[in-house]
Amino acid sequence: MTRRQNWTFLTNHARVLVTIARDPAVRLRDVAATCALTERTVQTIVADLESDGYLQRVRDGRRNRYEISAGAVFRHPAEAGVQVAGLLALLTDAPAAPDPLTPDPDGPVPAVGATATLPPDGPDSPDFPAAPVPPDGPDLPVAPVTPVDPAVAFPPAGADVPVALAPQVRSGHGYRPSADA
């Protein structure tokens, strides 16, 4: 199998945004040189980022200065609700804004071996912890919530739980049931 050597982890849009985050007064010509892109491509990318709300262009005398939008989130559903500031902080050594979906690292940390006690009514209890909900956005798909029967999802301790999966073996085209099943 031949290896493709021409792919990278960051898109050109991400690379341009990181370069601007490192120096908000940078000229687009310098962004193009840093990112190994043409000036026209960088102009198009900056226009995309500006129209989608990731940055604002502010006139500073005869030059432009760019401001990264606080709270901007990734567009792809796989990263729904995750702020771009985290990626920029990682790649620019700048502190990231707190993400409302990420637990506070300075908050309480459970001790090793600690256990959680769920309310006696299980998930039907008003004291049951709710999962964090990502902020709504125009491009974020909303998955339907399927009700779960608590008796099936949370069987009593010691109950026999049926296993519906047969042993599987890796084949050239995915997984197939093993001959032992």
Side-chain angles (χ1 to χ4, degrees), residues 19-30:
T19 304
I20 291 173
R22 287 179 179 152
D23 180 10
V26 68
R27 296 179 306 170
L28 293 188
R29 174 179 301 162
D30 298 331

Side-chain angles (χ1 to χ4, degrees), residues 5-181:
Q5 298 295 325
N6 60 349
W7 67 273
T8 61
F9 279 105
L10 298 178
T11 65
N12 289 338
H13 282 67
R15 220 174 267 115
V16 166
L17 191 61
V18 166
T19 304
I20 291 173
R22 287 179 179 152
D23 180 10
V26 68
R27 296 179 306 170
L28 293 188
R29 174 179 301 162
D30 298 331
V31 173
T34 300
C35 298
L37 300 169
T38 65
E39 283 185 61
R40 182 68 189 131
T41 300
V42 170
Q43 290 170 352
T44 303
I45 290 171
V46 167
D48 288 346
L49 294 170
E50 193 173 10
S51 68
D52 288 342
Y54 288 95
L55 58 85
Q56 292 88 35
R57 186 184 333 225
V58 178
R59 279 308 265 183
D60 187 12
R62 292 176 44 193
R63 306 225 6 220
N64 287 326
R65 181 169 188 76
Y66 300 93
E67 296 176 357
I68 307 293
S69 301
V73 295
F74 287 103
R75 294 175 50 185
H76 196 278
E79 294 88 28
V82 177
Q83 292 186 4
V84 174
L87 176 68
L88 295 177
L90 176 70
L91 298 175
T92 62
D93 295 328
D99 186 349
L101 298 179
T102 304
D104 180 10
D106 298 328
V109 178
V112 175
T115 58
T117 304
L118 293 177
D121 296 339
D124 295 329
S125 170
D127 298 327
F128 194 78
V133 178
D136 292 332
D139 297 334
L140 302 179
V142 178
V145 177
T146 307
V148 176
D149 179 12
V152 174
F154 304 100
D160 291 331
V161 180
V163 178
L165 299 176
Q168 305 216 335
V169 176
R170 179 88 167 111
S171 71
H173 301 288
Y175 288 93
R176 62 175 172 74
S178 70
D180 300 337

